[in-house]
Amino acid sequence: MSCHYGLDKVPQVMKPFILMNSEGWPGIDRAIALLQEGALSLDVVEESIRLTESEERVKTVGFGGAPNAMGVMQLDASCMRGDTLESGSVGAIENVMHPISVARKVMETLPHVMLVGAGATLFAREVGFQETDILAPSARARFELECPPAGDRPLVENFISPNTQGSHGTVISLVGDAHGCLTGGVSTSGWDFKYPGRVGDSAVIGAGLYVDNRYGAVACTHCGENAIRASLARTVMLYMQKGAGVREAVTEGLLGLRALVGGYQGQLVIFAVDNQGEVFVGKRFSDGTPLHALFWNSTMPEAQMIDAIAAE
Ligand code: GLY
C-alpha cells in the first residue's frame, strides 16, 4: 500500500505523530516504534488498536469489553484514510477479536463502507478471520453483577427509565506518517450492556471518525448517540476546512451540542490533530473525571499526556 494524492492539496507532512486516548496504552509504544521505522499510518493505526482489542484489562474495547444486555459481545470499529477518504466499518459484529482489522478489510475488499450484525460476522468468516468467543471471564462476571436480568420482562424496559446510564469507552488512534499520510481508527464494545443491535458512533464515519489529509483527523469517544446526532467528527473537520485551528474547531463542535434537546445526553470527548501535527482534546462537560490522551511526535522521546479541556 502507498499513499495517494487525489485531493487538491498535498500536505507538507510532517513529523510522524500518534494521538490515542488513554485506553490506547497497550498499543502506543509499539505504534511509536513502527512510526520510527517508517511504517505507513494505516498499518500503525491497525496495530495500535489490535493490541488494545486483545487486552482484557481495557474494559471497553475488544476482548475486555462489555457485552450487550443479553450477554453477547457485539463490537463496533471503523478506519479511514486521509489521502483517499476511503473508509470501512463494522457494527455489532460478533465472535471476532479484531473488529478494526475487519473494518480495514471491508475498506480494502468491498465496494461498501459499512457492514453490520450477521452480515459483518459472515464477511469476517468468509475472508478468513477466526471465529472465537470473546466474552472474557472478567466481562462475564461484570455482566452478571451489574446487568439486572430482565426475567420475563421485555429487555426494552431496562432502557426507558429516565435514570438510564451508559458507559461508552472506546479506543481511538489518529496517526500521521513520514510519507505524509493521515489515517484514523476507532474500536469499542460500545455502551455497556446495550440493547442488542445498538451501533454507536465508532462505526459511523462522520460521527465517531473523520480523516482528510488536507486538514487533519478527528475522532470521538463517549456518548455515541450524541456524536451521531451531531455528525460530530465531520462537523469539527468542516470548521478546520473553513480555517479554524484545532482548538477552535473542537470547541465549536462541542458548543454546537447545545442544539441537542431531549433524548439521552452524555459526555463527549473530541480528539483532533491538524495536518501539521497540532493537537487538541476537548470534552463537553467538566464532570470531575480527569480525561487525558497520549500524544507523541518524532521530536519527543516518549508519549506525553494531554488533558481534555472542557468547553462549557
Ligand atoms: N463512543 C462509543 C459508543 O458510543 O459506542
Side-chain angles (χ1 to χ4, degrees):
M1 192 206 84
S2 62
C3 277
H4 300 285
Y5 293 106
L7 304 177
D8 63 7
K9 182 178 159 196
V10 178
Q12 302 301 306
V13 188
M14 107 203 3
K15 300 185 283 277
F17 69 80
I18 179 163
L19 175 63
M20 297 190 82
N21 60 333
S22 54
E23 278 87 342
W25 63 264
I28 189 96
D29 288 343
R30 176 74 186 134
I32 292 170
L34 286 170
L35 284 169
Q36 287 171 327
E37 291 164 14
L40 291 167
S41 51
L42 180 57
D43 295 327
V44 178
V45 163
E46 183 180 8
E47 181 65 7
S48 62
I49 291 181
R50 283 177 66 94
L51 288 165
T52 307
E53 290 171 336
S54 300
E55 175 53 70
E56 187 175 349
R57 286 171 290 174
V58 179
K59 301 295 180 203
T60 53
V61 178
F63 184 52
N68 68 18
M70 296 176 72
V72 175
M73 293 295 283
Q74 292 188 321
L75 306 178
D76 300 340
S78 63
C79 63
M80 182 166 188
R81 294 175 59 136
D83 55 345
T84 61
L85 311 190
E86 289 171 289
S87 319
S89 81
V90 289
I93 190 170
E94 296 181 12
N95 298 326
V96 295
M97 182 66 85
H98 294 299
I100 188 65
S101 297
V102 186
R104 177 176 178 173
K105 200 76 174 171
V106 169
M107 177 176 81
E108 293 179 338
T109 308
L110 293 179
H112 310 315
V113 168
M114 184 176 190
L115 295 179
V116 300
T121 308
L122 171 68
F123 171 75
R125 186 185 312 132
E126 285 198 340
V127 297
F129 287 88
Q130 193 187 345
E131 285 190 74
T132 175
D133 179 6
I134 48 156
L135 182 58
S138 58
R140 186 188 302 277
R142 203 152 56 89
F143 171 71
E144 286 166 2
L145 193 67
E146 294 178 28
C147 187
D152 293 336
R153 292 179 296 111
L155 278 179
V156 68
E157 290 183 12
N158 282 354
F159 291 85
I160 51 184
S161 141
N163 297 324
T164 298
Q165 295 279 332
S167 159
H168 333 57
T170 305
V171 63
I172 68 106
S173 180
L174 303 177
V175 174
D177 64 31
H179 315 278
C181 229
L182 300 178
T183 303
V186 184
S187 179
T188 185
S189 59
W191 183 311
D192 288 4
F193 321 131
K194 60 199 171 187
Y195 196 89
R198 180 263 188 190
V199 174
D201 61 323
S202 304
V204 181
I205 298 296
L209 178 66
Y210 206 80
V211 185
D212 184 328
N213 271 14
R214 294 172 296 177
Y215 314 113
V218 181
C220 306
T221 64
H222 290 66
C223 183
E225 280 69 11
N226 293 171
I228 292 171
R229 285 168 68 183
S231 297
L232 193 55
R234 182 69 182 98
T235 296
V236 171
M237 185 69 74
L238 187 58
Y239 281 109
M240 290 164 70
Q241 186 173 335
K242 291 296 179 188
V246 273
R247 181 176 187 138
E248 186 187 357
V250 168
T251 304
E252 288 292 340
L254 291 167
L255 294 177
L257 295 168
R258 292 176 179 170
L260 304 187
V261 178
Y264 183 81
Q265 300 286 338
Q267 178 65 287
L268 271 164
V269 186
I270 304 178
F271 303 79
V273 56
D274 72 16
N275 68 3
Q276 301 304 302
E278 282 298 310
V279 62
F280 186 73
V281 182
K283 60 184 176 181
R284 183 181 189 184
F285 306 127
S286 179
D287 60 4
T289 312
L291 276 161
H292 65 264
L294 301 168
F295 182 69
W296 173 88
N297 70 34
S298 56
T299 68
M300 300 173 178
E302 59 189 23
Q304 296 181 348
M305 286 214 306
I306 299 178
D307 289 327
I309 308 292
E312 51 186 11

